[in-house]
C-alpha cells in the first residue's frame, strides 16, 4: 500500500479556518516529502528529504527547524518512487499530456523531479491574522515572483476531480531552488534535464483536527466551494 497523508482540507481554508492544527513534528511522522502552508496561510511550504522550507510572501525562504511550528493544511508521503518520469523536458502546459500513458486522472499521485528551469513563476500567499478571511478573498492578493535559469526541485500532487473540496483537483506543485533562495506555489514553469519520479497512491488518508473548536463549529457554504477553489487554487488539469 502506498499512502498519501493529508492534514486539513482546502474546504476548511475556504471556511476561514486557517489556524495551525498539526505540528511539523507530527506531520513528518507521515511523510518526508510534500507541500503545505503555515498557520494563517503564512507562505508556501515544501518538504524535501524530511526538511521543511517555507517561502514567505516577501520572497524570503526559511528552513523550518522548530518541530512545534503549526500548519493548517499539508500533504505528505514517504518518497518511494514507482515510475521514472518518461520525459527530459516539460512545462506546466505539457505535463499532463506527457504523463497520459500513466492514466493519472482518477488517482492520487506525487511528482518529484530535479531539473534546470529556464523559467519559474510562483506565487506566495501572505500571512493572515484573525479573524481570518476565506481563501477566496485572499486569491487576489498574492505576491508573484519569477526567475529565469535556475536549478531546483519540483514537488507536488495530482488529485482527481471528485476530491475537489478536500483538496484542489488537478496539479498542485511547489518549487525550491537548489540554493534554497527561491521557492513558492507554481503558476508556471518550464524545465529541462528533468530527472525524477512519479509515485501513485492506492490510499488517501484524510486527517482532521478533532480538537479544534473553529473547525468543529465551521459551517461550509458548499454552493460556493467549487467556484471558490477554482478561483483561488484551481490547478492545471
Ligand atoms: Zn500551493
Amino acid at each position: 500500500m502506498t499512502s498519501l497523508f493529508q492534514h486539513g482540507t482546502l474546504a476548511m481554508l475556504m471556511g476561514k479556518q486557517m489556524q495551525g492544527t498539526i505540528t511539523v513534528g507530527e506531520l513528518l511522522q507521515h511523510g518526508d516529502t510534500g507541500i503545505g502552508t503555515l498557520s494563517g496561510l503564512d507562505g508556501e511550504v515544501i518538504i524535501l528529504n524530511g526538511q521543511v522550507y517555507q517561502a514567505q510572501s516577501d520572497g524570503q525562504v526559511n528552513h523550518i527547524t522548530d518541530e512545534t511550528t503549526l500548519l493548517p493544511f499539508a500533504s505528505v508521503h514517504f518518497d518511494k518512487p514507482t515510475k521514472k518520469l518518461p520525459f527530459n523536458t516539460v512545462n506546466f502546459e505539457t505535463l499532463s499530456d506527457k504523463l497520459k500513458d500513466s492514466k493519472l486522472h482518477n488517482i492520487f499521485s506525487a511528482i518529484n523531479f530535479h531539473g534546470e528551469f529556464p523559467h519559474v513563476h510562483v506565487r506566495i500567499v501572505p500571512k493572515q491574522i484573525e479573524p481570518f478571511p476565506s481563501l477566496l478573498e485572499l486569491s487576489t492578493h498574492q505576491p508573484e515572483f519569477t526567475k529565469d535559469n535556475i536549478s531546483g526541485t519540483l514537488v507536488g500532487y495530482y488529485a482527481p476531480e471528485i476530491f475537489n473540496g478536500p483538496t484542489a483537483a488537478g496539479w498542485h506543485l511547489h518549487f525550491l531552488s537548489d540554493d534554497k533562495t527561491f521557492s513558492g506555489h507554481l503558476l508556471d514553469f518550464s524545465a529541462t534535464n528533468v530527472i525524477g519520479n512519479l509515485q501513485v497512491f492506492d490510499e488517501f488518508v484524510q486527517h482532521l483536527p478533532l480538537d479544534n473548536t473553529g473547525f468543529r463549529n465551521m459551517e461550509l457554504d458548499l454552493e460556493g466551494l467549487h467556484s471558490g477553489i477554482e478561483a483561488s487554487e484551481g490547478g492545471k488539469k
Side-chain angles (χ1 to χ4, degrees):
M1 197 138 63
T2 57
S3 186
L4 168 60
F5 176 91
Q6 178 172 297
H7 175 79
T9 66
L10 210 52
M12 286 165 53
L13 305 182
M14 285 293 167
K16 310 184 179 187
Q17 304 304 312
M18 297 178 175
Q19 61 280 14
T21 42
I22 193 171
T23 64
V24 162
E26 187 183 349
L27 185 69
L28 291 176
Q29 290 173 19
H30 300 280
D32 56 16
T33 306
I35 60 178
T37 185
L38 300 187
S39 283
L41 251 58
D42 187 8
E44 309 284 341
V45 163
I46 183 168
I47 302 165
L48 280 176
N49 303 316
Q51 299 299 309
V52 180
Y53 298 90
Q54 172 220 21
Q56 61 181 45
S57 62
D58 61 0
Q60 186 180 319
V61 181
N62 303 312
H63 185 192
I64 306 292
T65 53
D66 180 352
E67 295 224 322
T68 65
T69 305
L70 290 166
L71 309 93
F73 181 73
S75 305
V76 294
H77 68 284
F78 287 103
D79 186 39
K80 287 185 205 112
T82 37
K83 186 178 164 49
K84 195 172 179 304
L85 291 174
F87 49 79
N88 181 261
T89 301
V90 70
N91 61 45
F92 217 154
E93 295 301 325
T94 60
L95 180 61
S96 286
D97 197 47
K98 289 192 183 231
L99 290 169
K100 70 172 184 297
D101 290 345
S102 299
K103 303 195 188 310
L104 298 180
H105 62 287
N106 285 326
I107 58 170
F108 282 95
S109 59
I111 190 169
N112 180 351
F113 71 77
H114 183 268
E116 305 297 323
F117 289 75
H119 184 68
V120 179
H121 180 187
V122 297
R123 66 119 219 262
I124 304 175
V125 65
K127 181 179 170 64
Q128 305 300 304
I129 51 165
E130 298 195 57
F132 294 125
S134 102
L135 186 59
L136 181 59
E137 292 168 63
L138 256 180
S139 62
T140 51
H141 309 287
Q142 305 202 0
E144 297 181 15
F145 302 87
T146 60
K147 199 79 149 183
D148 292 339
N149 301 316
I150 189 167
S151 59
T153 302
L154 173 155
V155 169
Y157 298 97
Y158 183 87
E161 196 74 39
I162 58 159
F163 290 92
N164 200 42
T167 186
W171 294 104
H172 184 176
L173 306 174
H174 287 190
F175 174 83
L176 179 66
S177 65
D178 285 349
D179 64 8
K180 319 267 193 296
T181 62
F182 189 82
S183 183
H185 171 108
L186 280 168
L187 296 175
D188 204 7
F189 72 90
S190 59
T192 61
N193 295 329
V194 168
I195 298 176
N197 295 283
L198 195 68
Q199 183 167 340
V200 298
F201 304 105
D202 58 4
E203 184 177 70
F204 175 62
V205 177
Q206 174 65 69
H207 187 250
L208 297 171
L210 287 194
D211 298 331
N212 191 265
T213 311
F215 165 63
R216 296 297 289 267
N217 290 332
M218 173 184 72
E219 299 294 340
L220 264 184
D221 164 24
L222 277 177
E223 290 210 343
L225 183 61
H226 286 183
S227 57
I229 287 175
E230 189 62 36
S232 60
E233 286 289 324
K236 287 195 172 64
K237 306 292 159 60

